[in-house]
Amino acid sequence: MTGTEDRDPARPIVVGVDGSEASALAVRWASETAALHGCGLHIVHAFDLAGARAVRNVYDTMEPPVTEAIRRRGDDFLEEARQTALRVDPTLTVETELSELGPAHLLIDRSAVAGLTAIGATGEGSTIAHLGSTLLAVASHGHGRVVVVRGMSHAADRGEGPVVVGLDGSASSDAAAAAAFTESDLRRAPLIAVHTWHDLRFHLLAGMPEVISDPPLAAAAEAELNDWLAPWTEKYPEVEVIRKTYLAGPDLHLIHWSESARLVVVGSRGRGGFHGLLMGSTSNIVVQRAHCPVLVAHAT
């Protein structure tokens, strides 16, 4: 099998725009990816009329000239994004949508019918709050595959480098594997599968080695990784898979690999996630710190 059944041209790639440099980068990435998937691109902008009313202390109706100005600005954002998408691929089917919903509400809602949902981010904040409440909400509550398009590494910007995926055997990990193999196959890129025996983050500070020095433990970790990869390597025989096992620190290793990757894929929740927690600590940190786009895969 080639895995082409995972590519559904009826499900568009959705990307949110707000006129910022970050959203322009997201549009470019989403357009390139839509062309690879052979699907349409749905560009959305939410101007959150209710929020604007609250800021102006107008609780009934806004003055028509103000509302019209907000709409015109939104239309301008959408048209600029549409032109960007068509410069990437003039044959791309592009639809735009202007909505009065809040940005997070709109993107989460549209992600339910999207093949993939993209949102731009800038900065390297020490907390996820630095990246904005909209991004956090969409990455945590979005459906299916959500891509945070943050600063591009040299490899990602040139469309080079491997796809990197973190695997830990959880349900979200399996969703991450499905997404990673699909993207590797489409991009004709090697896939680096990263697995750590422990989730402990500060292993280096604790004096623990980076590699698994105990042979039986190393063999067990490799066997686990091979088991998780087996159905996907069978489904995507042409994808070159490079296996990497470490003792601990999944987020540290994924961030390191992101420096030379074109895409990092993580599950929304790992094996240590608490019930009800929609985005685990590893995916949370990688979304904040990675040097290339990060795909957060939600189990369905």
Side-chain angles (χ1 to χ4, degrees), residues 207-223:
M208 297 170 65
E210 181 174 315
V211 299
I212 305 175
S213 56
D214 180 72
L217 199 62
E222 291 172 4

Side-chain angles (χ1 to χ4, degrees), residues 1-2 7 53 58 80 100 108 111 126 138 150 167 170 194 201 206 236 240 264 267 271 279 296:
M1 290 188 290
T2 64
R7 307 169 199 170
R53 286 171 177 159
V58 179
E80 182 179 359
E100 294 185 11
I108 291 168
S111 72
S126 58
V138 176
R150 50 181 303 110
L167 301 176
S170 65
V194 174
R201 182 164 191 254
Y236 294 87
E240 177 190 358
V264 168
R271 58 192 168 193
M279 194 158 72
V296 180

Side-chain angles (χ1 to χ4, degrees), residues 105-205:
H105 185 175
L106 177 63
L107 285 167
I108 291 168
D109 183 74
R110 299 301 182 264
S111 72
V113 294
L116 195 155
T117 303
I119 183 171
T122 57
E124 295 183 3
S126 58
T127 65
I128 191 70
H130 178 83
L131 298 177
S133 59
T134 297
L135 187 148
L136 173 59
V138 176
S140 298
H141 297 273
H143 306 277
R145 301 168 183 180
V146 176
V147 177
V148 177
V149 184
R150 50 181 303 110
M152 294 284 219
S153 66
H154 180 70
D157 190 54
R158 293 173 59 88
E160 300 173 344
V163 172
V164 177
V165 62
L167 301 176
D168 63 10
S170 65
S172 289
S173 172
D174 198 50
F181 272 89
T182 298
E183 296 303 323
S184 288
D185 186 50
L186 282 169
R187 299 168 193 277
R188 301 293 185 263
L191 176 64
I192 296 178
V194 174
H195 169 50
T196 63
W197 189 252
H198 293 289
D199 290 336
L200 180 64
R201 182 164 191 254
F202 296 106
H203 60 295
L204 297 177
L205 298 179

Side-chain angles (χ1 to χ4, degrees), residues 21-108:
E21 291 185 11
S23 75
L25 185 64
V27 169
R28 195 186 84 187
W29 186 92
S31 302
E32 293 169 349
T33 303
L36 284 171
H37 280 256
C39 66
L41 183 68
H42 188 64
I43 306 172
V44 302
H45 172 70
F47 58 90
D48 193 3
L49 191 58
R53 286 171 177 159
V55 169
R56 290 174 54 87
N57 291 319
V58 179
Y59 298 101
D60 44 7
T61 58
M62 220 174 216
E63 295 178 12
V66 176
T67 303
E68 275 307 305
I70 293 173
R71 289 182 179 276
R72 283 197 303 271
R73 187 179 68 166
D75 285 333
D76 289 343
F77 290 158
L78 289 170
E79 179 57 23
E80 182 179 359
R82 191 181 75 87
Q83 293 299 329
T84 296
L86 293 175
R87 283 194 293 271
V88 170
D89 183 352
T91 68
L92 203 59
T93 300
V94 182
E95 295 182 350
T96 62
E97 178 183 2
L98 183 65
S99 173
E100 294 185 11
L101 294 175
H105 185 175
L106 177 63
L107 285 167
I108 291 168

Side-chain angles (χ1 to χ4, degrees), residues 150 251 254-255 264 266 282-290 294:
R150 50 181 303 110
D251 52 326
L254 290 170
I255 292 166
V264 168
V266 294
T282 294
S283 53
N284 188 319
I285 294 168
V286 173
V287 162
Q288 296 176 54
R289 299 287 188 178
V294 178

